[in-house]
Amino acid sequence: MNFDKIIKLNGKNVRRIIKKITNEENEDLEQEVYLRVYKNSEKYKEEGAFKSWINMIARNVSFDYLKSSVFKKETLNSAEDETVFLNVKDKKLSPEELLIQKERQKRILNEVDKLKPKLREVIVLTEFYGLSYEDTAKRLNCPVGTIKSRIFNAKKELMTKLSDLI
């Protein structure tokens, strides 16, 4: 394996992935990616694209970094002033806020249930199940453009019906 060539061909993409996941440029993580590529090069099977394999390594290295104690320690140290911690809002909702939130959710679900079936299914798949437009299109066996159009129309209809909640 020619690592100069690998770095030249994949360097920008590896840096982009690291930056996107960690919100920082981190040369140490970039080096870790290439170190793992080197250590695991014999495990790579030429079944998939080499670029995809490196991208997956970059992604894993970035997520490992975010889980690490080093990252957590740096994050805590960046909050220099104790006032930062004093200004953090308590995330517990009061009983009244909880009731209002539940009523709001019921109302939204009722309006979603009233949508035309084709609009309802794309909203449920994308917003509730978190599927991408592409995955939704595959599941419903229709073009991505159709999915986007249906989502637009469904959201437009919901905005009209739920305008008082916005």
Side-chain angles (χ1 to χ4, degrees), residues 122 133-134 143-154:
V122 294
Y133 291 175
E134 292 78 16
V144 174
T146 302
I147 299 301
K148 289 179 181 180
S149 174
R150 288 178 185 171
I151 288 173
F152 175 80
N153 290 328

Side-chain angles (χ1 to χ4, degrees), residues 2-13 15 34:
N2 182 348
F3 274 93
D4 289 332
K5 186 177 179 183
I6 290 172
I7 293 170
K8 188 177 261 187
L9 291 173
N10 298 288
K12 283 184 181 178
N13 205 36
R15 282 189 292 280
Y34 297 118

Side-chain angles (χ1 to χ4, degrees), residues 12-123:
K12 283 184 181 178
N13 205 36
V14 166
R15 282 189 292 280
R16 183 185 58 78
I17 291 169
I18 292 169
K19 173 99 171 141
K20 186 174 184 177
I21 294 173
T22 65
N23 281 335
E24 62 183 62
E25 293 177 11
N26 193 321
E27 290 179 6
D28 292 337
L29 294 181
E30 196 175 340
Q31 288 178 353
E32 179 65 25
V33 169
Y34 297 118
L35 185 62
R36 288 191 189 180
V37 168
Y38 176 75
K39 286 181 178 178
N40 297 303
S41 59
E42 71 281 348
K43 294 179 183 177
Y44 171 70
K45 296 177 177 72
E46 295 191 23
E47 295 170 1
F50 188 74
K51 183 177 180 179
S52 297
W53 184 63
I54 289 182
N55 289 348
M56 185 58 70
I57 292 174
R59 184 180 165 277
N60 290 342
V61 166
S62 299
F63 283 127
D64 288 349
Y65 170 71
L66 291 178
K67 292 180 206 171
S68 73
S69 61
V70 172
F71 173 75
K72 290 176 184 170
K73 187 180 277 186
E74 287 176 4
T75 305
L76 277 176
N77 288 340
S78 69
E80 300 169 355
D81 199 10
E82 283 185 36
T83 57
V84 171
F85 296 107
L86 296 175
N87 291 330
V88 174
K89 185 180 175 192
D90 186 10
K91 296 201 181 209
K92 293 180 184 174
L93 297 176
S94 70
E96 182 181 353
E97 290 170 326
L98 196 59
L99 181 64
I100 292 170
Q101 183 182 33
K102 286 185 180 189
E103 289 299 320
R104 180 184 170 110
Q105 288 172 346
K106 280 182 192 177
R107 183 143 172 249
I108 292 169
L109 289 174
N110 284 336
E111 292 302 330
V112 168
D113 283 341
K114 293 177 187 176
L115 290 171
K116 295 175 187 168
K118 288 185 178 188
L119 299 181
R120 183 175 54 242
E121 68 186 351
V122 294
I123 287 293

